[in-house]
Amino acid sequence: QVELVESGGDLVQPGGSLTLSCEASRSISSIDAMGWYRQAPGKERELVAQVSSFGRTRYSDHVKGRFNISRDNAKNTVYLEMSSLKPEDTAVYYCNAFWVDATGVNDYWGQGTQVTVST
């Protein structure tokens, strides 16, 4: 089990930058995948970026080249650095932890943090 707490959401102007943080309640070194998802009003939740325990990353085509995900296992924290923000990036951003162990599939979510890109 793990609790995830996101922070860093804010109102930012188009073209601006923002960094989100996701702090876990325990070590994340053994968690297979840590990710960021987002959900805009009226839309389904979608993957933004994910980083594996080996450091392999993958990004949505919508954010590739603008966002960077990283994990600091020593701090039990995952970051999402966002730049060149667009109004369409406006959404609630959720942190996710996913792994498989002897108990089965483990899939945990944070409570979300609001990112609003607007003038």
Side-chain angles (χ1 to χ4, degrees), residues 79-111:
Y79 303 97
L80 184 68
E81 298 174 79
M82 305 183 292
S83 62
S84 302
L85 283 162
K86 305 174 181 180
E88 50 263 45
D89 294 318
T90 296
V92 178
Y93 284 69
Y94 296 91
C95 182
N96 174 260
F98 178 90
W99 74 96
V100 180
D101 61 18
T103 67
V105 173
N106 299 271
D107 193 15
Y108 290 90
W109 296 88
Q111 83 288 349

Side-chain angles (χ1 to χ4, degrees), residues 8-20 66-67 80-86 89 115-117:
D10 205 347
L11 170 64
V12 62
Q13 292 189 346
S17 300
L18 204 60
T19 297
L20 305 182
R66 299 188 297 121
F67 290 11
L80 184 68
E81 298 174 79
M82 305 183 292
S83 62
S84 302
L85 283 162
K86 305 174 181 180
D89 294 318
V115 173
T116 303
V117 184

Side-chain angles (χ1 to χ4, degrees), residues 40-90:
K43 295 188 177 181
E44 293 188 354
R45 191 173 297 189
E46 63 175 2
L47 173 70
V48 175
Q50 192 176 60
V51 57
S52 75
S53 57
F54 299 103
R56 181 174 297 177
T57 58
R58 63 179 179 129
Y59 296 90
S60 160
D61 287 342
H62 298 297
V63 308
K64 202 171 293 183
R66 299 188 297 121
F67 290 11
N68 182 67
I69 187 171
S70 61
R71 60 193 287 170
D72 186 336
N73 289 340
K75 295 183 178 180
N76 301 331
T77 300
V78 178
Y79 303 97
L80 184 68
E81 298 174 79
M82 305 183 292
S83 62
S84 302
L85 283 162
K86 305 174 181 180
E88 50 263 45
D89 294 318
T90 296

